[in-house]
């Protein structure tokens, strides 16, 4: 099968095409013919070797967490069924024609949802949903500071928080003020440009990291929690809470709920670019440059 692999760590130029034997599904796994794979910010970090000290990869290595496609065989789904899901982040394998996936990481794609859109959902959607539900178990009426709320993770966190009746204060780039209000944010802070002078936040969900987030987190109430998904550290000196790193886990049932919400128009995941798989290097450059306001999808 065709795949895009890395044989060493480095810049986007280390992504190269390869012809590899298709994966053989193990018990409990499904073989999926990949139609679309999302490019996540983490892909470039794995490519660069950022996680090598605690999660070394063997070469050749196929990047890519999120796929949507058709079932070829295996357990739990019928051949031809349209499925999508987040792959095991330590194994990955999305930038390829075929991938073997644990059946319980997958969900069916609802009618009316195209496969590129389905591929855009899993990692970002699961992270946002799980930070709200599993990470903080937010309750109606709580005041949440959500940073990067216009990003892929942030949009889903905003959706999940509003579903629970949480009062969301979104910290976004100044240009995104109106857009994030239209998505349901109750109040908006221009991150890096404005401070907060309202009542203290009950909790924080951060998807950005860095000093500007740290400055806002001084307004977290004592006993509140600061959950971050970002790899850019938040300077912790003098903060009311120690930042806790949150790591997403693949989940077919959570993915199914997200896809149903997207299909029903309750939350949207915009797609900025769709490129063929062999343009994976360009796709990662685009994601690393930022400012896209949407997902980049690779198609076979
Ligand atoms: N821990 C986990 O399990 C996990 C899972 C998924 C993602 N992540 C991480 O979470 C982060 C967000 O992921 P994502 O997929 O949501 O990325 P994304 O779609 O690029 O969203 C990031 C958002 O934050 C905004 N932003 C970045 N720097 C900013 C700043 N200094 N001030 C204001 N806004 C800023 C971006 O705006 P611009 O586009 O204009 O820069 C964008 O709207 C990434 O670091 C990713 O690696 C972690």
């Amino acid at each position: 099968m065709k795949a895009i692999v890395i044989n060493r760590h480095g810049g986007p130029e280390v992504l190269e095409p390869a012809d590899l034997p298709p994966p053989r599904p193990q018990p409990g796994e499904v073989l999926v013919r990949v139609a679309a794979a999302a490019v996540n910010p983490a892909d470039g970090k794995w490519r660069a070797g950022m996680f090598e000290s605690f999660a070394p990869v063997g070469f050749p290595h196929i990047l890519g967490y999120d796929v949507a496609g058709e079932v070829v065989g295996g357990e739990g789904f019928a051949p031809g069924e349209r499925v999508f899901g987040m792959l095991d982040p330590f194994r990955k394998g999305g930038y390829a024609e075929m991938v073997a996936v644990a059946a319980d990481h997958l969900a069916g794609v609802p009618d009316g949802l195209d496969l590129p859109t389905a591929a855009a959902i899993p990692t970002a959607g699961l992270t946002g949903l799980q930070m709200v539900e599993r990470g903080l178990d937010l309750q109606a009426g709580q005041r949440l500071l959500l940073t990067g709320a216009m990003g892929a993770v942030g949009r889903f966190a905003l959706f999940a928080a509003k579903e629970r009746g949480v009062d969301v204060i979104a910290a976004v780039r100044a240009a995104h003020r109106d857009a994030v209000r239209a998505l349901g944010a109750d109040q908006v802070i221009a991150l890096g440009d404005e401070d907060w002078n309202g009542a203290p936040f009950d909790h924080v969900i951060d998807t950005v990291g860095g000093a500007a987030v740290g400055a806002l987190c001084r307004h977290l109430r004592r006993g509140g929690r600061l959950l971050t998904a970002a790899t850019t550290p938040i300077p912790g000196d003098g903060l009311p809470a120690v930042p806790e790193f949150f790591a997403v886990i693949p989940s077919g049932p959570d993915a199914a709920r997200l896809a149903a919400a997207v299909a029903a128009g309750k939350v949207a995941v915009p797609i900025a670019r769709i490129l063929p798989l062999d343009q994976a290097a360009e796709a990662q450059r685009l994601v690393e440059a930022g400012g896209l306001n949407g997902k980049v999808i690779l198609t076979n």
Side-chain angles (χ1 to χ4, degrees), residues 39-43 45 51 65 86 123-124 127 131 147-155 171-174 176 190-192 206-209 212 228-232 245-249 287 289-295:
V39 178
N40 281 290
D43 297 1
K45 300 174 189 177
F51 308 128
Y65 285 169
M86 178 186 165
T123 296
T127 307
M131 289 180 93
T147 68
M150 283 297 287
V153 173
R155 285 165 180 266
V172 295
R173 294 199 188 276
H176 291 155
L191 182 58
D206 167 54
T207 72
V208 175
T228 182
T231 44
T232 304
F245 185 73
F246 184 86
V248 61
I249 52 170
V287 171
L292 287 171
N293 209 15
K295 299 291 292 184

Side-chain angles (χ1 to χ4, degrees), residues 160-232:
K162 291 313 299 176
E163 285 280 291
R164 286 194 163 201
V166 173
D167 193 5
V168 178
I169 299 120
V172 295
R173 294 199 188 276
H176 291 155
R177 278 183 158 288
D178 294 344
V180 80
R181 263 194 192 278
L183 291 181
D186 297 281
Q187 294 179 75
V188 184
I189 303 171
L191 182 58
D193 297 335
E194 289 174 1
D195 200 4
W196 175 247
N197 53 19
F201 312 121
D202 289 310
H203 299 294
V204 178
I205 288 180
D206 167 54
T207 72
V208 175
V213 173
L216 281 182
C217 289
R218 288 184 288 105
H219 303 290
L220 176 63
R221 72 164 166 80
R222 294 234 158 255
R225 291 174 59 201
L226 195 185
L227 219 55
T228 182
T231 44
T232 304

Side-chain angles (χ1 to χ4, degrees), residues 51-231:
F51 308 128
E52 195 60 16
S53 62
F54 64 90
V57 302
F59 299 122
H61 187 66
I62 308 175
L63 296 167
Y65 285 169
D66 290 337
V67 295
E70 280 193 359
V71 172
V72 177
E75 295 179 16
F77 292 88
E81 209 172 325
R82 298 191 324 146
V83 292
F84 80 109
M86 178 186 165
L87 309 176
D88 177 338
F90 296 103
R91 197 167 139 196
K92 304 182 251 344
Y95 294 8
E97 273 180 308
M98 308 261 219
V99 68
V101 191
D104 60 6
H105 294 180
L106 290 173
V109 178
D111 290 343
L113 209 64
D114 59 65
L115 292 174
T117 302
I121 296 172
T123 296
L126 294 172
T127 307
L129 183 80
Q130 291 173 3
M131 289 180 93
V132 167
E133 295 186 352
R134 300 182 191 211
L136 291 176
D137 190 17
L138 291 172
Q139 304 298 318
Q142 288 183 324
R143 232 181 351 269
L144 175 74
L145 171 67
L146 171 61
T147 68
M150 283 297 287
V153 173
R155 285 165 180 266
F156 282 103
L158 176 57
F159 161 71
K162 291 313 299 176
E163 285 280 291
R164 286 194 163 201
V166 173
D167 193 5
V168 178
I169 299 120
V172 295
R173 294 199 188 276
H176 291 155
R177 278 183 158 288
D178 294 344
V180 80
R181 263 194 192 278
L183 291 181
D186 297 281
Q187 294 179 75
V188 184
I189 303 171
L191 182 58
D193 297 335
E194 289 174 1
D195 200 4
W196 175 247
N197 53 19
F201 312 121
D202 289 310
H203 299 294
V204 178
I205 288 180
D206 167 54
T207 72
V208 175
V213 173
L216 281 182
C217 289
R218 288 184 288 105
H219 303 290
L220 176 63
R221 72 164 166 80
R222 294 234 158 255
R225 291 174 59 201
L226 195 185
L227 219 55
T228 182
T231 44

Side-chain angles (χ1 to χ4, degrees), residues 1-6 15-21 23 60-63 93-98 277-278 280 300:
M1 67 165 187
K2 198 171 79 173
I4 298 293
V5 302
I6 56 168
L15 290 158
E16 53 184 303
D19 198 4
L20 299 174
H61 187 66
I62 308 175
L63 296 167
Y95 294 8
E97 273 180 308
M98 308 261 219
L277 179 63
D278 59 13
N300 276 309

